[in-house]
Amino acid sequence: MTDARNAPARFKDLCLDAVDHQALADWWCAALGYVRHGSPDGAEPDPRWPVPIVDPAGAGPLIWVNRVPEPKTVKNRMHLDVSGDPVRLIALGATLLRRPDEDVHWHVLADPEGNEFCVFTPDE
């Protein structure tokens, strides 16, 4: 077993790219129950800067929503897996990409900017 303290890297944060990073940060806050992480000095951040969002309970990872100039055009090579209700996520603005079938037992959705994520219902 590898000792994580001696590994060449360790997990830090998750990052999502978005053309409208402000709106996507708000969407993920609503979807996950996250909140925007304010600056330590209380200053209002530059709206062009990445938006950090956090789990107020401290259980989930910090997610940075980064502004990029181009829209998403190809399938993600890395994605989020969440536990939740796909119907409620679709009502918030997610798009259904795939229902559970004989090959996958979860829903595949996309956030409003097209970033794919998998949704496992609590009984899965």
Side-chain angles (χ1 to χ4, degrees), residues 11-82:
F11 180 80
K12 184 179 180 305
D13 305 323
L14 292 174
C15 298
L16 293 172
D17 290 345
V19 172
D20 186 347
H21 67 302
Q22 297 290 337
L24 195 63
D26 291 339
W27 189 86
W28 277 106
C29 283
L32 296 174
Y34 270 44
V35 296
R36 287 176 178 240
H37 183 61
S39 65
D41 62 2
E44 190 67 31
D46 185 320
R48 296 169 297 179
W49 291 352
V51 179
I53 62 174
V54 296
D55 178 351
L62 171 70
I63 300 174
W64 288 92
V65 185
N66 300 313
R67 183 175 143 201
V68 296
E70 72 282 347
K72 182 183 165 302
T73 57
V74 297
K75 184 181 183 311
N76 297 8
R77 294 300 300 261
M78 185 180 291
H79 65 269
L80 300 178
D81 282 351
V82 302

Side-chain angles (χ1 to χ4, degrees), residues 91-122:
L92 279 175
T95 301
L96 175 65
L97 300 179
R98 184 176 182 178
R99 295 181 189 282
D101 57 33
E102 62 278 350
D103 294 324
V104 299
H105 303 285
W106 53 87
H107 289 79
V108 179
L109 303 182
D111 71 19
E113 291 239 1
N115 299 302
E116 297 98 355
F117 62 101
C118 295
V119 181
F120 295 82
T121 58

